Amino acid sequence: MPLRVSQAPAPALRSVLTALSSPTAVREARTPALLGTQGPATPELPLPVHLLDRVAADGTTATRLTGWRFHIRRADLVVAAAETRLTADGWAFSHFFEGPYVTSTERALRQAEALPQPYQPRLLSVPELYMLTLWLHGDCAADPAAGHPAATDLLVPLAPAPPGIAAHLPHRVAELLPVLTHRMKPTRLLGSPA
């Protein structure tokens, strides 16, 4: 089933297009793949980036939208990504980057295309674990800027994943969230008060 990719806010897309047309922004990005390839660069595949702030004891999550990520394509290759962030003045370009999460996201999206059910793709960042997942939200008509992972949604850890969590293996939120919750809890030192 095809993924139902959401439209990014127009100001977010405009900020990326402006950055791509600025030689200074591209040069300062220091992304060799973006600098070293020829031809027009096109932002595509906008994905909302949500941050997992916390997981409550009852399993409910607190997430918030932090930005939109676009893959930057030249010819038939994704060479980098661009991220925008929400500021007091609206959406603004944040930065270009390349690396393992770009290629891992591409791979996870290809895997998701083969699933029998349609999903709305998002990214879910778990900064406490240095982890990024492709969040496949089951409600394709949902506002991509809002919501929390539903128990039946899928999370696909992107590479590099934390030790003990396999990258590119889809997990239902209800299965993976307890593992993340356990790892996010602070550990007590031996002999410290309970």
Side-chain angles (χ1 to χ4, degrees):
M1 280 265 160
L3 294 175
R4 307 286 165 80
V5 177
S6 304
Q7 279 195 326
L13 177 58
R14 275 194 307 272
S15 73
V16 171
L17 290 169
T18 300
L20 281 170
S21 66
S22 164
T24 305
V26 172
R27 192 169 39 257
E28 288 178 3
R30 294 194 175 107
T31 55
L34 192 57
L35 288 169
T37 56
Q38 298 298 317
T42 308
E44 62 177 31
L45 198 66
L47 296 173
V49 181
H50 292 260
L51 180 76
L52 181 65
D53 280 327
R54 63 181 164 76
V55 181
D58 65 358
T60 57
T61 59
T63 60
R64 61 186 163 90
L65 180 72
T66 59
W68 282 83
R69 183 172 295 175
F70 298 80
H71 285 194
I72 307 300
R73 182 174 297 279
R74 281 213 167 125
D76 60 347
L77 293 174
V78 172
V79 295
E83 196 151 316
T84 63
R85 59 183 164 75
L86 189 58
T87 67
D89 295 326
W91 289 100
F93 172 75
S94 176
H95 61 283
F96 291 114
F97 64 96
E98 59 184 80
Y101 283 133
V102 176
T103 54
S104 186
T105 302
E106 283 284 299
R107 177 180 169 189
L109 288 166
R110 282 193 306 273
Q111 286 177 288
E113 283 282 344
L115 295 172
Q117 177 183 340
Y119 288 99
Q120 181 189 81
R122 304 172 175 197
L123 293 172
L124 182 65
S125 174
V126 187
E128 230 177 296
L129 301 177
Y130 302 100
M131 181 178 184
L132 185 64
T133 69
L134 177 64
W135 168 14
L136 298 172
H137 191 52
D139 182 359
C140 294
D143 177 358
H148 303 284
T152 56
D153 287 354
L154 295 178
L155 295 176
V156 182
L158 301 179
I165 297 177
H168 298 285
L169 182 63
H171 300 274
R172 294 237 177 260
V173 167
E175 298 164 355
L176 187 58
L177 207 53
V179 173
L180 300 181
T181 304
H182 176 72
R183 288 182 175 212
M184 290 171 66
K185 287 182 181 175
T187 56
R188 288 187 307 117
L189 297 174
L190 290 176
S192 65

